Amino acid sequence: MATTYASADTDAHDGKPKFWVRWFFSTNHKDIGTLYLILGLIGGLVGGFLSIMMRLELSEPGLQFFGNPHTYNMFITMHGLLMIFFMVMPIIIGGLGNWFVPLMIGAPDMAFPRMNNLSFWLLAVALVCGVISMFLPGGAGGAGFGGSWVMYPPLSTSGHPGPAFDFLIIGILAAGFSSIFGAINFITTIFNMRAPGMTMHKMPLYAWSVLVTSWLLLLSLPVLAAAMIMLFTDRTVGTGFFDPAMGGDPLMFQHLFWFFGHPEVYVMILPAFGIISHVIATFSRKPVFGYLGMAYAMVAIGVVGFVVWAHHMYTVGMDVDVKAYFLAATFVIAVPTGVKVFSWLATMWGGSIRYSIPMQWALATIFLFVIGGVTGVFLASAGLDTAAHDTYFVVAHFHYVLSMGAVFAIFSGFTYWFGKMSGYLYNKWLAGLQFWLFFIGVNLAFMPQHFLGWQGMPRRIPDYFQEYQLLNQISSYGSYMSAIGVIVFIVWVIEAFIVKRKAGDNYWGEGADTLEWTLSSPPPYHQYSKLPQIK
């Protein structure tokens, strides 16, 4: 159903909604998706700046920029929270999800358009609260930020007075409610608003990934919200949920946090899997291999993702039998992930592959995610994890999964659908330059961190022994190269809107039809008046 506006809210010349009405009160899924993409870019730029400052500090031993180590810890905390809640999630779910899930399933819009608008503005308020917290008393010099993005008490309770951390908790709660509302919206839309003939087993894989992700959010975020509210009351009104002196248990916070925190990893990576499935199928000129297996592998990842949370907590003193359970459950989750990697390779096997920019990003995603997955299996072993815990090996692992897996998939999807969203073509040379700057830069940044971690360098510490200097310098140079890649990305987006090369109906090239999602799922019978023929 098209959105209607009062006459006072429309332009007298063309009847379109005025700027303020369109962008601040929008109930159009494409406009809200665009707003999410812009917010994600802002969050990513701020979070990326913090990471560059951290790498500048770590380029040499000693303290260069952060006279107070707590300021460095605040940068680490905000970098993690901004990148997860305000960059990856807004873009890969809010932005691309809002844009393409209704289009893929033949729905006129999201099920609850006004709640869609509310979800976005809650997230914008959350971002403002997070950024403000950096400048309040107890922010830049506050010890509580030493708990990093995981916010463990007692560092985040009695160890951190001042309003800064309270603002941060409020921001996380707002972001959580934003995601819960968005998840309800996606689930309702996908279950109730599919076009005739678009059965669940014909639904495109990106829509499947958003559906599974929405269930993960709906089931895990209330647990995080409960933990945040208890943390807030411990700090402000004197409750003792996590204070042993009052009968509380700080380990309970870790259980509550990671019950959310591990599904959160799949919240970020499952939509990436959906995007990769589309890109691989389109540029291999083949339907995706094992469509149903791919869909239910995502469901399996979502289910098992809820029962492996304590592999983040091997060092807290848990019983050896409990460790054995979480070790085995974590190994199991590698199976459906392996099914997906196998299916992507099988899709490309015998296909007519075209190495376009989106395809390059997709292939790099698979390669880097597999590296991160292998080190993840390594860390699932309780004995090995105890040795590597809180070292840079862990940092390297999760950045290969997320900083490369999820973020590379975002760039793959953005370049893939850029013509659909903007109507313009990007400069292939500039986009290719950005890809190679990123690919080389992130590997230079994070591959050495495996070796630093295995040599014992602890994370969240701004100083280190002289022996770690060379690998740290290589890592820092890689982060600078990645930052140049971000600049090139912004340049090619602006250039595309300035030059305005029109994207045709078939801008992926001969053989890739306009309705590309028929390549990644069996086409529905009645969704379109004429289905494209896959050549």
Side-chain angles (χ1 to χ4, degrees):
M1 185 180 297
T3 305
T4 57
Y5 299 91
S7 58
D9 295 332
T10 58
D11 190 284
H13 299 291
D14 56 13
K16 292 181 180 179
K18 292 180 180 178
F19 178 88
W20 179 265
V21 173
R22 177 178 180 184
W23 294 111
F24 286 83
F25 299 97
S26 177
T27 53
N28 180 293
H29 69 100
K30 294 180 182 178
D31 287 347
I32 293 174
T34 302
L35 288 170
Y36 270 114
L37 292 174
I38 294 169
L39 181 78
L41 176 63
I42 294 170
L45 289 175
V46 178
F49 166 76
L50 297 178
S51 70
I52 295 298
M53 291 302 297
M54 286 150 47
R55 288 313 322 171
L56 281 168
E57 175 60 59
L58 291 170
S59 60
E60 292 182 12
L63 297 178
Q64 279 72 244
F65 303 98
F66 298 99
N68 184 345
H70 295 316
T71 307
Y72 177 84
N73 285 330
M74 184 268 286
F75 272 49
I76 286 182
T77 301
M78 294 308 301
H79 166 70
L81 292 172
L82 286 168
M83 288 306 206
I84 291 170
F85 288 104
F86 301 105
M87 196 275 276
V88 174
M89 287 177 65
I91 294 176
I92 209 164
I93 305 168
L96 298 177
N98 264 296
W99 252 98
F100 292 105
V101 167
L103 297 180
M104 287 180 174
I105 65 174
D109 205 307
M110 296 290 285
F112 306 114
R114 293 186 187 279
M115 190 163 76
N116 206 13
N117 180 281
L118 174 64
S119 296
F120 170 76
W121 287 110
L122 268 175
L123 193 64
V125 169
L127 177 59
V128 171
C129 286
V131 173
I132 286 175
S133 72
M134 297 168 64
F135 301 97
L136 290 175
F145 282 99
S148 187
W149 78 283
V150 293
M151 299 169 284
Y152 288 167
L155 269 175
S156 55
T157 51
S158 57
H160 187 217
F165 212 77
D166 296 328
F167 258 79
L168 188 59
I169 292 171
I170 292 168
I172 292 168
L173 282 169
F177 281 109
S178 165
S179 294
I180 289 171
F181 295 154
I184 292 169
N185 219 341
F186 277 121
I187 291 169
T188 309
T189 302
I190 291 171
F191 278 161
N192 294 332
M193 297 179 68
R194 300 190 308 278
M198 176 61 78
T199 64
M200 292 294 290
H201 285 177
K202 296 183 185 298
M203 197 165 68
L205 287 172
Y206 180 64
W208 261 106
S209 72
V210 172
L211 176 63
V212 176
T213 295
S214 298
W215 279 109
L216 292 178
L217 287 168
L218 197 61
L219 295 171
S220 67
L221 275 167
V223 178
L224 177 70
M228 289 293 106
I229 290 170
M230 286 189 276
L231 193 65
F232 189 77
T233 57
D234 273 14
R235 290 176 49 80
T236 54
V237 298
T239 56
F241 293 108
F242 308 123
D243 184 359
M246 299 175 67
D249 185 1
L251 280 186
M252 181 53 64
F253 178 86
Q254 293 193 30
H255 281 289
L256 293 172
F257 180 88
W258 286 116
F259 187 81
F260 152 80
H262 197 77
E264 172 67 12
V265 174
Y266 300 108
V267 163
M268 292 183 277
I269 207 66
L270 283 178
F273 288 170
I275 291 169
I276 297 307
S277 299
H278 283 258
V279 174
I280 294 289
T282 298
F283 293 109
S284 298
R285 303 294 186 270
K286 285 173 62 183
V288 85
F289 179 89
Y291 162 79
L292 269 186
M294 291 286 269
Y296 284 103
M298 286 190 281
V299 175
I301 289 169
V303 171
V304 181
F306 272 105
V307 294
V308 298
W309 76 90
H311 66 209
H312 297 272
M313 301 168 53
Y314 283 141
T315 59
V316 302
M318 65 175 66
D319 185 84
V320 68
D321 293 332
V322 178
K323 286 183 180 181
Y325 159 73
F326 282 106
L327 182 154
T330 307
F331 282 175
V332 166
I333 209 168
V335 176
T337 310
V339 168
K340 300 195 72 63
V341 174
F342 173 81
S343 291
W344 290 325
L345 297 177
T347 302
M348 290 185 282
W349 185 268
S352 177
I353 298 176
R354 177 166 165 250
Y355 293 104
S356 61
I357 302 297
M359 187 66 161
Q360 291 176 34
W361 284 109
L363 293 174
T365 302
I366 297 171
F367 170 62
L368 298 172
F369 176 79
V370 167
I371 293 175
V374 168
T375 56
V377 172
F378 182 96
L379 289 170
S381 170
L384 293 171
D385 179 78
T386 301
H389 190 77
D390 262 345
T391 69
Y392 266 88
F393 190 93
V394 180
V395 176
H397 154 67
F398 68 72
H399 277 89
Y400 264 87
V401 172
L402 297 177
S403 180
M404 285 112 138
V407 173
F408 272 52
I410 284 172
F411 283 120
S412 180
F414 187 79
T415 51
Y416 180 61
W417 284 313
F418 183 75
K420 294 265 184 223
M421 294 187 288
S422 67
Y424 303 130
L425 297 175
Y426 53 80
N427 183 301
K428 292 182 180 178
W429 188 88
L430 284 173
L433 175 64
Q434 181 220 344
F435 168 77
W436 286 109
L437 284 169
F438 248 85
F439 183 76
I440 297 170
V442 294
N443 279 287
L444 280 177
F446 296 112
M447 184 56 75
Q449 293 180 14
H450 290 100
F451 306 105
L452 284 169
W454 207 240
Q455 291 171 21
M457 180 174 170
R459 58 178 173 162
R460 303 175 190 152
I461 306 294
D463 196 3
Y464 55 84
F465 294 125
Q466 188 74 37
E467 290 79 4
Y468 301 139
Q469 182 171 358
L470 177 61
L471 290 175
N472 267 300
Q473 286 180 333
I474 295 171
S475 184
S476 293
Y477 293 146
S479 71
Y480 308 153
M481 186 178 291
S482 304
I484 297 171
V486 173
I487 295 170
V488 174
F489 166 70
I490 295 170
V491 167
W492 76 244
V493 171
I494 294 172
E495 190 267 353
F497 280 95
I498 292 174
V499 177
K500 296 184 177 179
R501 290 174 291 267
K502 294 291 184 182
D505 291 339
N506 196 18
Y507 69 88
W508 288 301
E510 280 303 315
D513 293 275
T514 304
L515 298 171
E516 88 288 351
W517 34 88
T518 60
L519 288 163
S520 59
S521 63
Y525 298 115
H526 309 297
Q527 188 185 4
Y528 313 108
S529 57
K530 181 183 178 184
L531 285 169
Q533 298 301 310
I534 301 171
K535 299 174 184 176

